[in-house]
Every structure is written in structure tokens, then in C-alpha cells.
Amino acid sequence: MKPPSNVKMPAQYIASLPADRAKTIATVRALVNKHIPRGYDECLVWGTIGWTIPLSRYPDTYNKQPICYVALSSQKNYCSLYLMGAFWSASQLEQLKAAFKEAGRKLNMGKCCVHFESPDDLPLEAIGKLISAISTEEWIEMYEQSRLKTKAGQARTAKQGAPSASKVASKVAVKRVDTNRRR
């Protein structure tokens, strides 16, 4: 359900929903806000509540929109929690599947969106851990790495004389190993 055109802020989005749906979205929004790493901005994006890397920090996106990391929306028959990390990271996806299985809940998921009717349908603690796992710096690296895989990204990189995708990927892998050691 797309919010009315006068809705510009997450709180307005929630206020525009029926009471039971507003309570559900508010509960999951609080979970995301509790676990979202520093540097992501909460905003309305594509008719949903989103947590993005603002254009003021990273303006070079393919569609001139902020890079979205997590989003939350109320649809006609269910709610959706968009976990882009689970779409881009096989290990995050496996952790998400395992969390649902361990909680004895059914995972109803598209490519990155988890559909649910109530917060009780979600393994909230595990989802919070997944959300907190990717810093803005790591998310930007993942975004840049994915762009290098497209023809347009390869052409842009070649034009700028930047390192190849394999060099960037190995640099990211080394940095991730160092980051994991510090944790």
C-alpha cells in the first residue's frame, strides 16, 4: 500500500495505517532502529520506511537514489521487512533461514523481503543481529562490488582507470577478515 502523497516522515507513514497494522509496523520499526548501525538514515523511500546511506555521504548511485539497506512496509495482505543484506550475502541468508527454523516459524520470503502479519511471526533477536552486522562502510563496499559486475560499472571503471573487480573484491575480502578479527 503506497502511503498518501502528504506522508513525508516515518511517523506519518505509521499514523496513516489502520491501528493493528500501525502497531505491527511500529514494533518492527523500533527493532530496526535499535539495531541499525550508525550512518544509516531513516526516511521514506519507494513508499516504505527505509534505512539508507544518504546521498550526501554517497551520491554516486546508479539511480540517483540513496542506497537502501533495510526497509519496512505495510502491504495489502501482509507486512514486508526488506533485508537487503540477506539478498547480497549468502551467509546472511543462511543465518536468516536458520533463525526461522530454530524459532519454529515459517519463512515467507521473496528475494530480500520477509513477509509477516505480526512481529510474533519473526525471530526478532536474530533479525536484529543481522541488521547490526553490516556497517555503512561495508554496505558501500558491497554496493560498489556489485556495480563492478555490471557492464555499465565495468565501462565506468575502465574509463576512470580504477582497479579491476577482482582487485577490489580481494581488497574487500582482506578488509572483512581484519574486521572480523577485531570483533
Side-chain angles (χ1 to χ4, degrees):
M1 293 174 17
K2 189 170 181 174
S5 61
N6 64 333
V7 171
K8 305 291 183 206
M9 303 293 292
Q12 293 173 321
Y13 178 89
I14 292 171
S16 74
L17 300 173
D20 61 330
R21 192 59 73 88
K23 183 178 178 184
T24 295
I25 294 294
T27 299
V28 177
R29 176 187 179 213
L31 171 87
V32 175
N33 280 328
K34 179 180 177 182
H35 294 282
I36 196 83
R38 282 196 186 124
Y40 292 103
D41 280 354
E42 182 185 27
C43 60
L44 284 187
V45 59
W46 303 302
T48 69
I49 300 172
W51 289 265
T52 66
I53 295 175
L55 290 172
S56 60
R57 172 142 185 236
Y58 192 86
D60 190 26
T61 64
Y62 78 96
N63 62 358
K64 307 300 180 212
Q65 297 295 314
I67 305 170
C68 192
Y69 175 52
V70 176
L72 177 63
S73 70
S74 173
Q75 304 295 331
K76 184 176 179 179
N77 297 317
Y78 50 83
C79 298
S80 291
L81 178 62
Y82 300 82
L83 299 169
M84 281 36 142
F87 176 69
W88 281 7
S89 166
S91 69
Q92 277 227 344
L93 179 58
E94 290 309 311
Q95 290 173 46
L96 182 64
K97 288 177 180 179
F100 270 86
K101 185 175 183 177
E102 184 177 312
R105 295 185 176 102
K106 182 182 180 216
L107 175 59
N108 179 359
M109 185 172 182
K111 287 187 177 183
C112 70
C113 53
V114 175
H115 306 299
F116 63 99
E117 292 181 23
S118 161
D120 295 333
D121 298 337
L122 303 171
L124 296 174
E125 185 178 322
I127 288 174
K129 286 180 183 179
L130 289 174
I131 290 169
S132 67
I134 301 176
S135 70
T136 55
E137 293 81 12
E138 290 169 312
W139 194 239
I140 288 170
E141 287 174 5
M142 291 170 77
Y143 175 81
E144 288 176 341
Q145 187 177 4
S146 74
R147 285 194 65 194
L148 286 174
K149 293 177 182 177
T150 67
K151 287 184 180 181
Q154 291 169 358
R156 185 173 160 263
T157 301
K159 185 177 178 181
Q160 293 176 341
S164 69
S166 61
K167 288 182 184 176
V168 170
S170 65
K171 179 180 169 187
V172 169
V174 168
K175 187 170 185 174
R176 277 203 190 104
V177 169
D178 290 342
T179 303
N180 289 337
R181 286 185 185 148
R182 283 185 248 143
R183 289 183 184 166

